[in-house]
Short mmCIF file of all heavy atoms in Angstrom, two decimals:
data_model
loop_
_atom_site.label_atom_id
_atom_site.label_comp_id
_atom_site.label_asym_id
_atom_site.label_seq_id
_atom_site.Cartn_x
_atom_site.Cartn_y
_atom_site.Cartn_z
N LEU A 147 -9.91 -1.91 -17.90
CA LEU A 147 -10.02 -1.52 -19.31
C LEU A 147 -8.75 -1.86 -20.08
O LEU A 147 -8.80 -2.23 -21.26
CB LEU A 147 -10.27 -0.01 -19.37
CG LEU A 147 -11.11 0.53 -20.52
CD1 LEU A 147 -12.42 -0.21 -20.67
CD2 LEU A 147 -11.36 2.02 -20.33
N ALA A 148 -7.63 -1.78 -19.42
CA ALA A 148 -6.35 -2.05 -20.08
C ALA A 148 -6.19 -3.51 -20.49
O ALA A 148 -5.25 -3.86 -21.20
CB ALA A 148 -5.20 -1.65 -19.18
N TYR A 149 -7.11 -4.35 -20.02
CA TYR A 149 -7.04 -5.77 -20.37
C TYR A 149 -8.26 -6.21 -21.18
O TYR A 149 -8.56 -7.39 -21.29
CB TYR A 149 -6.94 -6.62 -19.10
CG TYR A 149 -5.62 -6.45 -18.37
CD1 TYR A 149 -5.47 -5.44 -17.43
CD2 TYR A 149 -4.54 -7.28 -18.61
CE1 TYR A 149 -4.28 -5.26 -16.76
CE2 TYR A 149 -3.35 -7.12 -17.94
CZ TYR A 149 -3.22 -6.11 -17.02
OH TYR A 149 -2.03 -5.93 -16.36
N ARG A 150 -8.99 -5.25 -21.72
CA ARG A 150 -10.20 -5.62 -22.47
C ARG A 150 -9.88 -5.97 -23.92
O ARG A 150 -10.65 -6.65 -24.58
CB ARG A 150 -11.19 -4.45 -22.45
CG ARG A 150 -11.72 -4.15 -21.07
CD ARG A 150 -12.94 -4.95 -20.74
NE ARG A 150 -13.30 -4.82 -19.36
CZ ARG A 150 -14.43 -5.22 -18.84
NH1 ARG A 150 -15.34 -5.78 -19.60
NH2 ARG A 150 -14.68 -5.06 -17.56
N MET A 151 -8.78 -5.43 -24.41
CA MET A 151 -8.37 -5.78 -25.77
C MET A 151 -6.90 -6.16 -25.72
O MET A 151 -6.11 -5.51 -25.03
CB MET A 151 -8.52 -4.57 -26.70
CG MET A 151 -9.93 -4.39 -27.22
SD MET A 151 -10.09 -2.90 -28.19
CE MET A 151 -9.21 -3.36 -29.67
N GLU A 152 -6.55 -7.17 -26.48
CA GLU A 152 -5.19 -7.69 -26.40
C GLU A 152 -4.15 -6.66 -26.78
O GLU A 152 -3.05 -6.64 -26.24
CB GLU A 152 -5.07 -8.93 -27.31
CG GLU A 152 -3.94 -9.84 -26.88
CD GLU A 152 -4.00 -11.21 -27.47
OE1 GLU A 152 -4.99 -11.54 -28.15
OE2 GLU A 152 -3.05 -11.96 -27.24
N VAL A 153 -4.51 -5.76 -27.70
CA VAL A 153 -3.53 -4.79 -28.18
C VAL A 153 -3.16 -3.78 -27.09
O VAL A 153 -2.10 -3.17 -27.15
CB VAL A 153 -4.04 -4.09 -29.44
CG1 VAL A 153 -5.12 -3.07 -29.11
CG2 VAL A 153 -2.91 -3.43 -30.19
N PHE A 154 -4.03 -3.62 -26.08
CA PHE A 154 -3.69 -2.69 -24.99
C PHE A 154 -2.50 -3.21 -24.20
O PHE A 154 -1.83 -2.45 -23.51
CB PHE A 154 -4.90 -2.48 -24.08
CG PHE A 154 -6.02 -1.70 -24.70
CD1 PHE A 154 -7.33 -1.86 -24.26
CD2 PHE A 154 -5.80 -0.82 -25.74
CE1 PHE A 154 -8.37 -1.14 -24.83
CE2 PHE A 154 -6.83 -0.10 -26.32
CZ PHE A 154 -8.12 -0.26 -25.86
N GLN A 155 -2.27 -4.51 -24.25
CA GLN A 155 -1.05 -5.07 -23.65
C GLN A 155 -0.03 -5.16 -24.78
O GLN A 155 0.28 -6.24 -25.29
CB GLN A 155 -1.34 -6.44 -23.03
CG GLN A 155 -2.33 -6.37 -21.90
CD GLN A 155 -1.88 -5.44 -20.79
OE1 GLN A 155 -0.73 -5.50 -20.36
NE2 GLN A 155 -2.78 -4.60 -20.32
N PHE A 156 0.49 -4.01 -25.13
CA PHE A 156 1.26 -3.86 -26.37
C PHE A 156 2.47 -4.79 -26.42
O PHE A 156 2.69 -5.49 -27.41
CB PHE A 156 1.71 -2.40 -26.50
CG PHE A 156 2.29 -2.04 -27.83
CD1 PHE A 156 1.47 -1.73 -28.90
CD2 PHE A 156 3.66 -2.02 -28.01
CE1 PHE A 156 2.01 -1.40 -30.13
CE2 PHE A 156 4.21 -1.70 -29.24
CZ PHE A 156 3.38 -1.39 -30.31
N LYS A 157 3.21 -4.79 -25.31
CA LYS A 157 4.43 -5.63 -25.27
C LYS A 157 4.09 -7.09 -25.48
O LYS A 157 4.76 -7.81 -26.22
CB LYS A 157 5.10 -5.47 -23.90
CG LYS A 157 6.19 -4.45 -23.87
CD LYS A 157 7.06 -4.55 -22.65
CE LYS A 157 6.31 -4.54 -21.36
NZ LYS A 157 7.21 -4.38 -20.20
N ASN A 158 3.05 -7.52 -24.81
CA ASN A 158 2.61 -8.90 -24.88
C ASN A 158 2.20 -9.26 -26.31
O ASN A 158 2.53 -10.33 -26.83
CB ASN A 158 1.42 -9.08 -23.93
CG ASN A 158 1.17 -10.52 -23.60
OD1 ASN A 158 1.98 -11.16 -22.96
ND2 ASN A 158 0.05 -11.04 -24.06
N ALA A 159 1.50 -8.33 -26.94
CA ALA A 159 1.04 -8.55 -28.31
C ALA A 159 2.22 -8.66 -29.27
O ALA A 159 2.25 -9.52 -30.16
CB ALA A 159 0.09 -7.43 -28.74
N ILE A 160 3.20 -7.78 -29.10
CA ILE A 160 4.40 -7.81 -29.96
C ILE A 160 5.14 -9.13 -29.79
O ILE A 160 5.59 -9.75 -30.76
CB ILE A 160 5.33 -6.62 -29.65
CG1 ILE A 160 4.64 -5.30 -30.03
CG2 ILE A 160 6.66 -6.76 -30.37
CD1 ILE A 160 4.46 -5.08 -31.51
N GLU A 161 5.27 -9.57 -28.54
CA GLU A 161 5.96 -10.83 -28.26
C GLU A 161 5.24 -11.99 -28.93
O GLU A 161 5.86 -12.91 -29.48
CB GLU A 161 6.02 -11.09 -26.75
CG GLU A 161 7.08 -10.28 -26.01
CD GLU A 161 8.48 -10.50 -26.58
OE1 GLU A 161 8.84 -11.66 -26.87
OE2 GLU A 161 9.19 -9.50 -26.77
N LYS A 162 3.92 -11.93 -28.88
CA LYS A 162 3.13 -13.01 -29.49
C LYS A 162 3.32 -13.03 -31.01
O LYS A 162 3.49 -14.09 -31.61
CB LYS A 162 1.66 -12.74 -29.15
CG LYS A 162 0.84 -13.97 -28.85
CD LYS A 162 -0.52 -13.58 -28.32
CE LYS A 162 -1.49 -14.70 -28.58
NZ LYS A 162 -2.85 -14.41 -28.17
N LEU A 163 3.34 -11.84 -31.60
CA LEU A 163 3.54 -11.75 -33.05
C LEU A 163 4.91 -12.26 -33.44
O LEU A 163 5.06 -13.01 -34.41
CB LEU A 163 3.39 -10.29 -33.51
CG LEU A 163 1.98 -9.73 -33.59
CD1 LEU A 163 2.01 -8.24 -33.85
CD2 LEU A 163 1.19 -10.42 -34.69
N LYS A 164 5.91 -11.86 -32.64
CA LYS A 164 7.29 -12.30 -32.92
C LYS A 164 7.38 -13.82 -32.82
O LYS A 164 7.97 -14.48 -33.67
CB LYS A 164 8.26 -11.66 -31.92
CG LYS A 164 8.82 -10.34 -32.40
CD LYS A 164 9.54 -9.53 -31.37
CE LYS A 164 10.49 -10.22 -30.47
NZ LYS A 164 11.15 -9.29 -29.52
N SER A 165 6.78 -14.37 -31.76
CA SER A 165 6.86 -15.82 -31.55
C SER A 165 6.22 -16.59 -32.69
O SER A 165 6.74 -17.61 -33.14
CB SER A 165 6.18 -16.22 -30.24
OG SER A 165 6.82 -15.63 -29.15
N TYR A 166 5.07 -16.07 -33.16
CA TYR A 166 4.32 -16.84 -34.17
C TYR A 166 4.86 -16.62 -35.58
O TYR A 166 5.11 -17.57 -36.31
CB TYR A 166 2.84 -16.46 -34.09
CG TYR A 166 1.97 -17.31 -34.99
CD1 TYR A 166 1.72 -18.65 -34.70
CD2 TYR A 166 1.39 -16.78 -36.15
CE1 TYR A 166 0.94 -19.44 -35.52
CE2 TYR A 166 0.61 -17.56 -36.97
CZ TYR A 166 0.38 -18.88 -36.66
OH TYR A 166 -0.40 -19.65 -37.48
N TYR A 167 5.03 -15.35 -35.95
CA TYR A 167 5.38 -15.06 -37.35
C TYR A 167 6.87 -15.12 -37.64
O TYR A 167 7.27 -15.38 -38.77
CB TYR A 167 4.82 -13.70 -37.76
CG TYR A 167 3.32 -13.69 -37.89
CD1 TYR A 167 2.52 -13.05 -36.98
CD2 TYR A 167 2.69 -14.37 -38.95
CE1 TYR A 167 1.14 -13.06 -37.09
CE2 TYR A 167 1.32 -14.40 -39.07
CZ TYR A 167 0.55 -13.73 -38.13
OH TYR A 167 -0.82 -13.75 -38.24
N ILE A 168 7.69 -14.87 -36.64
CA ILE A 168 9.14 -14.85 -36.90
C ILE A 168 9.80 -16.13 -36.39
O ILE A 168 10.55 -16.78 -37.11
CB ILE A 168 9.77 -13.59 -36.24
CG1 ILE A 168 9.16 -12.34 -36.87
CG2 ILE A 168 11.28 -13.60 -36.39
CD1 ILE A 168 9.57 -11.05 -36.25
N LYS A 169 9.51 -16.49 -35.15
CA LYS A 169 10.14 -17.70 -34.61
C LYS A 169 9.35 -18.96 -34.93
O LYS A 169 9.81 -20.07 -34.67
CB LYS A 169 10.28 -17.57 -33.08
CG LYS A 169 11.21 -16.44 -32.66
CD LYS A 169 11.25 -16.35 -31.14
CE LYS A 169 12.02 -15.13 -30.71
NZ LYS A 169 11.96 -14.91 -29.26
N HIS A 170 8.14 -18.81 -35.47
CA HIS A 170 7.28 -19.94 -35.85
C HIS A 170 7.05 -20.90 -34.69
O HIS A 170 7.12 -22.12 -34.86
CB HIS A 170 7.86 -20.68 -37.07
CG HIS A 170 8.03 -19.79 -38.25
ND1 HIS A 170 6.96 -19.27 -38.95
CD2 HIS A 170 9.13 -19.30 -38.85
CE1 HIS A 170 7.41 -18.49 -39.93
NE2 HIS A 170 8.72 -18.48 -39.89
N ILE A 171 6.80 -20.34 -33.52
CA ILE A 171 6.50 -21.18 -32.35
C ILE A 171 5.00 -21.44 -32.32
O ILE A 171 4.19 -20.54 -32.61
CB ILE A 171 6.93 -20.45 -31.05
CG1 ILE A 171 8.45 -20.29 -31.03
CG2 ILE A 171 6.47 -21.21 -29.81
CD1 ILE A 171 8.95 -19.43 -29.89
N ASP A 172 4.64 -22.67 -31.99
CA ASP A 172 3.23 -23.02 -31.89
C ASP A 172 2.68 -22.46 -30.58
O ASP A 172 2.93 -22.99 -29.51
CB ASP A 172 3.07 -24.55 -31.92
CG ASP A 172 1.61 -24.97 -31.68
OD1 ASP A 172 0.70 -24.14 -31.91
OD2 ASP A 172 1.40 -26.12 -31.25
#
Side-chain angles (χ1 to χ4, degrees):
Chain A
L147 212 51
Y149 292 88
R150 295 272 170 168
M151 278 175 73
E152 203 164 354
V153 75
F154 290 155
Q155 296 303 313
F156 191 82
K157 265 195 307 191
N158 198 66
I160 294 291
E161 282 304 317
K162 218 171 156 183
L163 284 172
K164 269 168 44 179
S165 298
Y166 186 71
Y167 289 108
I168 298 174
K169 296 178 187 173
H170 301 291
I171 294 172
D172 174 22

